């Protein structure tokens, strides 16, 4: 699985590096793998809401795969904006 975790914030499900990023808390900004600095709210925590309700950040998904050493065929190109 690697040292990454998903965390929803600001309308996207981003990922972060658990060893380089403090554990996200509501109202505290964190740096996502895609380079964005985002601030989650209480509704963004799966422990509280029960599910991820926002779409995946595909830049984070790609960064996760690249950093975790996925083979090229498991690293899809980013969707066109
Ligand atoms: Zn992201």
């Amino acid at each position: 699985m690697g040292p990454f975790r998903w965390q929803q914030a600001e309308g996207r499900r981003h990922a972060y590096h658990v060893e380089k990023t403090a554990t996200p808390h509501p109202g505290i900004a964190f740096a996502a793998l895609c380079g964005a600095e985002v601030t989650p709210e209480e509704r963004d925590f799966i422990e509280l809401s029960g599910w991820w309700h926002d779409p995946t950040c595909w830049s984070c998904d790609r960064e996760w795969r690249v950093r975790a050493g996925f083979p090229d065929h498991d690293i899809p190109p980013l969707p066109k904006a």
Side-chain angles (χ1 to χ4, degrees):
M1 186 168 184
F4 308 114
R5 296 289 181 275
W6 291 108
Q7 176 58 52
Q8 187 173 276
E10 299 188 16
R12 288 256 186 275
R13 188 177 62 123
H14 292 282
Y16 67 98
H17 192 299
V18 295
E19 288 157 16
K20 295 179 181 170
T21 309
T23 303
H25 289 287
I28 310 279
F30 70 92
L33 292 187
C34 63
E37 186 147 311
V38 291
T39 305
E41 300 172 21
E42 286 196 16
R43 67 184 281 276
D44 293 319
F45 286 82
I46 197 166
E47 300 83 359
L48 300 174
S49 69
W51 74 98
W52 301 120
H53 42 75
D54 285 337
T56 298
C57 170
W58 292 110
S59 296
C60 274
D61 180 78
R62 181 182 167 80
E63 277 296 311
W64 182 318
R65 291 166 188 262
V66 169
R67 295 184 194 198
F70 279 45
D72 284 349
H73 63 262
D74 278 337
I75 303 177
L78 288 174
K80 298 220 168 44

